[in-house]
């Protein structure tokens, strides 16, 4: 992302300049975790990448190519996203098999050939069994009948089923209980490593941010206030960033 | 008595074609499509004019579907490309179609007794020659319902069909699949209104007339049949949605026929439809355990 500027409600009393000349480069194969208080611009940053919200200035590039002119759905050809809300990543009234078939067909033409390819069912089962949740035996169960954690696990598998340039994880463990969140986080780490994905994860859980990923960013008011990677990142402990985090909060009067 | 039963069931089958359309928009796409009140008489208007002009009656079926598809396309474009809310987009098209229908066929158009319809022309006349006209109507209506049920069921199983179901279920996912959800919605509206116009076409064949007001309340009727059908078979997982709405349509027509036989004035029909629909909605909501007597405390 180069020189991004984003102004909310420009020209009105509530005008708010979130990003002013914001720059971020994510290297190939990096797993970036992003932390920051509410309103620091984490989710806005993701939305700008995906094209869900327009920008006023600047460029978003993938592999050196600008994707500014691409519509939101076009950008997803090479991007995957797991949302905070487990219901957004899957179709509740369709079976696991149908959901997986949809995801498997991402980026191709949805023509009049059979929607569910029986020959691929084995592959789907294999992918689901790696989650270790027993979902591979529930292929004909509708997604709506599964728990939030199970749905989120399926969402994760679906988002990463086809080759990706970039995986976006938008507080994807925030709506889950601590135990399930832990499982999903471990699965995420496994999937990212196995498929050698480039990923960016927004989280409110400082421990996840420290434990997982190869790079850590802290954001505040549209700026990156901390950027640690490699050796530095590996030596970080939760208390270090909690300290910085608290300082910012105190300044803001929270 | 038997004749009355046959004609009522025939009505149920014919209107099931409209229910298919509403099933797609309301149940699958989650789109309250009021275009129906305009595309239904549109199908009838086109059919009436073509029949009077002496066109082959069977040719009117695909032609009516084509104009219906066009109506759906208009609503879809208004909604998706211009960002008009779903309900309003349908109302705009419906209102415009009222004038268009008047332009096509005037306020009323009768098809003369000497003109062949899909129930009397060859090859139906030869193949089902041993049956009375009433029975033939039932057979042809049944065949149409079955043919389109099979076509739709097959379609829902294709990749494209899956995508259509996904849009109604969770359109965020469709965007994540790198597909334009707007285009899929438009496609759904096109298919649905083609079916609705087809229903208008068959109704025109059956009653040999078109009237500009015949579309009023068709949307509510269709919704009622879809809700009746899908509620009855909610627990029966193996019954397909398409089958459910056919049953819903027949049940509805039987109920209305019973009401008329008991002395209900025909002028009150739409009022009864509206009340019945309200009752179905309220009962359906109660069963879901949702919204309860918010204002009836």
């Amino acid at each position: 992302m180069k020189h991004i500027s984003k102004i909310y409600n420009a020209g009105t009393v509530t005008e708010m300049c979130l990003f002013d000349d914001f720059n971020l480069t994510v290297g190939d194969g990096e797993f970036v975790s992003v932390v920051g208080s509410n309103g620091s611009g984490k989710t806005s940053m993701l939305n700008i990448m995906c094209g869900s919200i327009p920008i006023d200035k600047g460029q978003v590039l993938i592999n050196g190519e600008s994707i500014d002119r691409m519509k939101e759905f076009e950008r997803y050809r090479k991007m995957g996203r797991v949302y905070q809300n487990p219901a957004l990543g899957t179709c509740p009234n369709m079976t696991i098999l149908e959901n997986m078939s949809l995801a498997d067909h991402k980026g191709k033409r949805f023509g009049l050939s059979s929607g569910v390819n029986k020959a691929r069912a084995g592959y789907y089962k294999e992918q689901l069994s790696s989650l270790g949740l027993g979902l591979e035996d529930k292929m004909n169960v509708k997604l709506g009948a599964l728990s939030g954690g199970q749905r989120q696990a399926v969402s994760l598998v679906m988002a990463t089923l086809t080759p990706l340039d970039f995986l976006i994880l938008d507080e994807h463990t925030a709506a889950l209980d601590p135990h399930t969140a832990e499982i999903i986080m471990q699965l995420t780490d496994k999937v990212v490593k196995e498929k050698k994905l480039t990923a960016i994860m927004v989280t409110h859980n400082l421990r996840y941010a420290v434990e997982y990923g190869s790079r850590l960013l802290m954001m505040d008011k549209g700026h990156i206030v901390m950027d640690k990677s490699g050796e530095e990142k590996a030596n970080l402990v939760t208390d270090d960033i909690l300290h910085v985090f608290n300082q910012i909060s105190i300044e803001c009067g929270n | 008595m038997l004749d009355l039963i046959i004609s009522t069931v025939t009505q149920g089958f014919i209107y099931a074609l409209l229910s298919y359309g509403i099933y797609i928009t309301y149940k699958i796409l989650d789109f309250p499509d009021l275009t129906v009140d305009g595309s239904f008489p549109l199908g009838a208007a086109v059919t009436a004019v073509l029949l009077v002009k002496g066109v082959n009656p069977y040719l009117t079926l695909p032609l009516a579907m084509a104009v219906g598809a066009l109506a759906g396309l208009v609503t879809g474009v208004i909604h998706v490309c211009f960002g008009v809310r779903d309900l309003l987009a349908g109302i705009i098209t419906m209102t415009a179609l009222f004038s268009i229908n008047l332009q096509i066929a005037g306020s009323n158009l009768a098809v003369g007794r000497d003109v062949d319809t899909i129930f009397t022309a060859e090859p139906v006349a030869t193949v089902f020659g041993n049956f009375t006209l009433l029975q033939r109507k039932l057979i042809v209506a049944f065949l149409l319902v079955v043919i389109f049920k099979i076509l739709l069921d097959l379609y829902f199983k294709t990749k494209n069909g899956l995508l259509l179901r996904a849009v109604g279920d969770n359109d965020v996912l469709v965007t994540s699949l790198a597909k334009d959800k707007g285009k899929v919605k438009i496609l759904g509206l096109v298919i649905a209104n083609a079916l609705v116009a087809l229903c208008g076409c068959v109704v025109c064949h059956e009653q040999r007339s078109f009237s500009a007001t015949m579309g009023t309340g068709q949307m509510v009727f269709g919704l009622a049949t879809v809700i009746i059908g899908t509620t009855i078979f909610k627990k029966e997982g193996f019954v397909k949605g398409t089958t459910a709405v056919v049953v819903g349509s027949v049940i509805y027509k039987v109920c209305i026929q019973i009401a008329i036989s008991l002395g209900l004035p025909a002028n009150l029909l739409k009022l009864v439809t509206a009340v019945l629909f309200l009752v179905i909605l309220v009962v359906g909501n109660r069963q879901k355990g949702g919204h309860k007597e918010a204002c009836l405390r």
Side-chain angles (χ1 to χ4, degrees):
Chain A
M1 297 175 95
K2 277 187 185 167
H3 310 293
I4 299 288
S5 293
K6 170 72 193 171
I7 303 168
Y8 280 104
N9 302 328
T12 65
V13 211
T14 53
E15 176 175 311
M16 198 198 73
C17 177
L18 179 58
F19 293 122
D20 184 20
D21 200 18
F22 178 85
N23 294 288
L24 172 67
T25 310
V26 178
D28 208 17
E30 267 188 331
F31 182 2
V32 186
S33 34
V34 183
V35 293
S37 53
N38 290 325
S40 61
K42 306 181 300 292
T43 300
S44 293
M45 179 179 78
L46 296 187
N47 284 338
I48 287 170
M49 287 178 187
C50 299
S52 316
I53 54 175
I55 47 175
D56 300 306
K57 252 188 263 172
Q59 268 190 311
V60 183
L61 305 137
I62 284 191
N63 295 336
E65 278 171 48
S66 167
I67 56 167
D68 294 317
R69 287 172 156 258
M70 287 169 109
K71 289 194 185 120
E72 190 181 0
F73 76 91
E74 293 172 318
R75 297 186 188 197
Y76 281 111
R77 270 178 211 145
K78 286 290 176 187
M79 280 202 231
R81 184 167 183 175
V82 185
Y83 296 85
Q84 177 177 0
N85 181 350
L88 288 181
T90 53
C91 281
N93 285 316
M94 294 164 82
T95 64
I96 296 188
L97 183 59
E98 287 170 331
N99 270 286
M100 293 290 284
S101 306
L102 277 173
D104 193 24
H105 215 65
K106 173 170 172 171
K108 298 186 200 137
R109 215 174 68 87
F110 282 78
L112 292 177
S113 55
S114 175
V116 175
N117 185 349
K118 293 258 157 60
R120 296 283 286 169
Y123 173 69
Y124 304 152
K125 281 189 180 178
E126 194 185 304
Q127 294 287 313
L128 289 169
S129 67
S130 72
L131 297 175
L133 295 173
L135 292 172
E136 63 276 12
D137 302 323
K138 296 185 179 172
M139 295 300 276
N140 290 316
V141 173
K142 286 186 178 172
L143 254 294
L146 301 182
S147 71
Q150 289 172 322
R151 283 200 216 182
Q152 199 67 317
V154 177
S155 306
L156 184 66
V157 172
M158 283 171 65
T160 55
L161 204 57
T162 46
L164 291 177
D165 281 346
F166 206 49
L167 175 66
I168 291 170
L169 304 161
D170 184 3
E171 293 184 44
H172 70 307
T173 57
L176 308 173
D177 70 69
H179 178 67
T180 315
E182 191 74 49
I183 294 175
I184 295 291
M185 200 53 237
Q186 282 165 5
L187 290 172
T188 309
D189 195 46
K190 195 169 130 193
V191 170
V192 170
K193 278 183 182 144
E194 268 174 14
K195 306 203 174 186
K196 298 191 178 62
L197 296 173
T198 308
I200 187 160
M201 171 178 76
V202 163
T203 180
H204 276 300
N205 190 318
L206 299 183
R207 188 169 61 79
Y208 289 164
V210 173
E211 282 177 18
Y212 299 96
S214 57
R215 181 175 168 193
L216 186 142
L217 295 179
M218 186 183 289
M219 290 180 65
D220 181 50
K221 294 177 198 148
H223 295 284
I224 295 170
V225 291
M226 188 194 245
D227 186 352
K228 306 271 185 201
S229 56
E231 194 77 351
E232 268 189 311
K233 160 79 168 61
N235 294 330
L236 267 183
V237 287
T238 315
D239 286 346
D240 296 342
I241 52 171
L242 189 61
H243 184 64
V244 182
F245 202 89
N246 281 337
Q247 267 186 339
I248 296 170
S249 292
I250 292 162
E251 282 166 25
C252 294
N254 280 340
Chain B
M1 184 61 194
L2 186 67
D3 283 357
L4 190 62
I5 293 172
I6 291 179
S7 78
T8 309
V9 174
T10 306
Q11 289 287 319
F13 283 146
I14 293 175
Y15 280 89
L17 294 168
L18 180 136
S19 304
Y20 287 157
I22 307 254
Y23 177 73
I24 291 177
T25 46
Y26 176 73
K27 206 75 193 174
I28 295 184
L29 285 183
D30 198 15
F31 189 111
D33 179 27
L34 271 172
T35 319
V36 171
D37 279 18
S39 56
F40 175 79
L42 175 68
V46 170
T47 306
V49 169
L50 289 174
L51 282 179
V52 169
K53 288 220 167 112
V55 174
N56 181 317
Y58 297 102
L59 202 57
T60 61
L61 297 171
L63 289 174
M65 286 184 80
V67 290
L70 206 60
L73 181 69
V74 171
T75 302
V77 168
I78 291 175
H79 172 60
V80 172
C81 304
F82 303 132
V84 178
R85 259 199 287 164
D86 45 12
L87 207 56
L88 291 178
I91 291 174
I92 290 170
T93 315
M94 174 190 85
T95 310
L97 281 176
F98 190 81
S99 292
I100 292 172
N101 292 339
L102 286 176
Q103 287 295 318
I104 294 175
S107 58
N108 284 294
L109 185 61
V111 179
R113 290 280 148 199
D114 52 330
V115 179
D116 269 335
T117 66
I118 53 169
F119 307 107
T120 61
E122 300 297 339
V124 167
T126 319
V127 177
F128 304 113
N130 296 331
F131 297 96
T132 63
L133 179 62
L134 207 60
Q135 290 165 336
R136 246 184 281 164
K137 282 182 178 175
L138 178 69
I139 294 167
V140 173
F142 179 72
L143 285 178
L144 279 172
V145 162
V146 171
I147 289 170
F148 279 94
K149 179 193 144 50
I150 293 172
L151 284 178
L152 282 176
D153 286 346
L154 285 177
Y155 171 68
F156 290 145
K157 281 194 184 145
T158 64
K159 294 196 173 77
N160 205 283
L162 273 188
L163 200 62
L164 187 77
R165 289 164 56 200
V167 164
D169 222 5
N170 177 4
D171 59 5
V172 175
L173 178 72
V174 174
T175 308
S176 305
L177 290 172
K179 283 284 155 191
D180 188 348
K181 62 184 179 195
K183 275 191 195 146
V184 185
K185 268 190 194 169
I186 293 177
L187 180 67
L189 285 167
V190 165
I191 298 173
N193 281 291
L195 288 165
V196 171
L198 175 71
C199 178
C201 166
V202 178
V203 169
C204 177
H205 279 278
E206 202 268 332
Q207 63 189 31
R208 288 180 178 270
S209 69
F210 158 81
S211 82
T213 54
M214 69 194 284
T216 314
Q218 294 303 344
M219 159 76 175
V220 170
F221 156 77
L223 281 181
T225 62
V226 167
I227 293 172
I228 293 174
T230 49
T231 310
I232 291 177
F233 294 112
K234 200 188 279 167
K235 298 210 173 69
E236 267 60 55
F238 58 89
V239 177
K240 291 212 169 71
T242 42
T243 316
V245 301
V246 175
V247 175
S249 173
V250 173
I251 290 177
Y252 187 91
K253 285 291 175 189
V254 169
C255 289
I256 292 292
Q257 191 55 53
I258 290 172
I260 291 174
S261 304
L262 291 175
L264 176 85
N267 281 346
L268 290 181
L269 216 54
K270 302 284 186 206
L271 178 66
V272 173
T273 302
V275 171
L276 203 61
F277 182 55
L278 179 67
V279 170
I280 294 165
L281 276 184
V282 172
V283 171
N285 266 348
R286 287 276 168 83
Q287 282 181 347
K288 270 188 223 150
H291 189 77
K292 271 184 192 153
E293 302 112 26
C295 55
L296 296 176
R297 244 176 264 264

